[in-house]
Amino acid sequence: MKESIEDPEAPAPGSRRPGGRTARTRAAVRDAVLTGLSEHGYPALTVEYVAEHSGVHKTTLYRRWGGVEGMVADALDLAGEDHWSPPDTGSLGGDLRALAREVVDGFAEPADAAAPTAFVGAAFQSPRAAEALRSFYAERFRRCEEVVKRAAARGEAPAGADAGAVVRAVSAPLFLRLFVTREPLDHRLADQAADAAAAALAAGVFDRSPADAAPAAKDRPAAKAGG
């Protein structure tokens, strides 16, 4: 086991933003979790493996994270605390294509794709990992919405469009190929997904239409005979 770097007085993840030794401990555990997921997948990841590769005693791992589920969830939480921001090419089409190409490039190399693929696999086996993955992507898509909002400000997109639905539509066909059909991906397909989302946006597919703008016919008062 590596030399211990743990902070025995550190709070549980999520209770406050840690710094100093606490941050180093959390980062070491995160790195060990990523390595374990990449090499062995979620089913084979153990507290003993993380303890050996992080230098944090397994008693501390159980106390702070509760076990493998908690460590995987916290690794995703930590990944979501980065400073990533969406591209700004100056046009909606350019931004959407750049977003799509980032997805493709992020999974182009097997070594880079191993950990995020394992996270998706873990989400099918662990409710806590699934919730953490939803939160991670919810934050990512929230940041991506800025692309559509900027386009609306330039007059390239309807002001009332559902920005979250637009950016999800860009990624959806790419994630289908990555995680369901396991088909190859390239920049041509990334551009195709982006262009399809942009065309749907221009056609009004993503316009918000309040369901309660007018009562449904069955809810309206019946008209009286004779007017």
Side-chain angles (χ1 to χ4, degrees):
M1 181 181 294
K2 297 179 182 178
E3 181 183 355
S4 176
I5 61 169
E6 62 188 282
D7 179 359
E9 302 302 323
S15 57
R16 66 177 174 84
R17 187 174 296 276
R21 183 183 296 180
T22 300
R24 292 194 298 273
T25 299
R26 190 182 180 200
V29 171
R30 183 271 318 274
D31 291 344
V33 167
L34 290 177
T35 301
L37 286 174
S38 300
E39 292 181 351
H40 307 294
Y42 180 77
L45 184 65
T46 64
V47 172
E48 288 74 17
Y49 177 95
V50 176
E52 179 180 353
H53 288 77
S54 68
V56 179
H57 197 280
K58 66 180 182 179
T59 301
T60 301
L61 296 177
Y62 279 116
R63 176 172 59 82
R64 291 189 60 198
W65 283 273
V68 170
E69 270 197 317
M71 290 185 286
V72 170
D74 191 53
L76 272 167
D77 288 344
L78 194 57
E81 293 176 5
D82 64 7
H83 299 290
W84 180 87
S85 60
D88 186 359
T89 66
S91 72
L92 174 65
D95 289 348
L96 294 181
R97 284 190 171 205
L99 282 174
R101 290 187 177 205
E102 279 195 28
V103 173
V104 172
D105 292 344
F107 290 89
E109 296 297 329
D112 296 332
T117 300
F119 275 129
V120 173
F124 281 95
Q125 301 170 71
S126 160
R128 192 169 177 186
E131 179 58 34
L133 190 67
R134 281 194 296 271
S135 296
F136 173 82
Y137 275 111
E139 172 61 18
R140 272 292 189 272
F141 287 130
R142 185 193 65 76
R143 299 185 201 181
C144 290
E145 290 178 13
E146 185 62 26
V147 163
V148 181
K149 294 174 182 177
R150 289 196 303 251
R154 293 191 298 261
E156 290 184 89
D162 186 339
V166 175
V167 295
R168 283 170 171 79
V170 173
S171 300
L174 307 179
F175 286 156
L176 173 71
R177 285 176 171 265
L178 284 167
F179 300 121
V180 179
T181 62
R182 307 295 290 176
E183 296 174 89
L185 271 179
D186 55 29
H187 282 182
R188 180 186 65 82
L189 291 168
D191 292 348
Q192 182 185 82
D195 293 348
L201 175 63
V205 170
F206 299 110
D207 289 359
R208 295 181 188 272
S209 53
D212 59 349
K218 64 182 181 63
D219 297 327
R220 294 172 188 153
K224 294 182 179 180

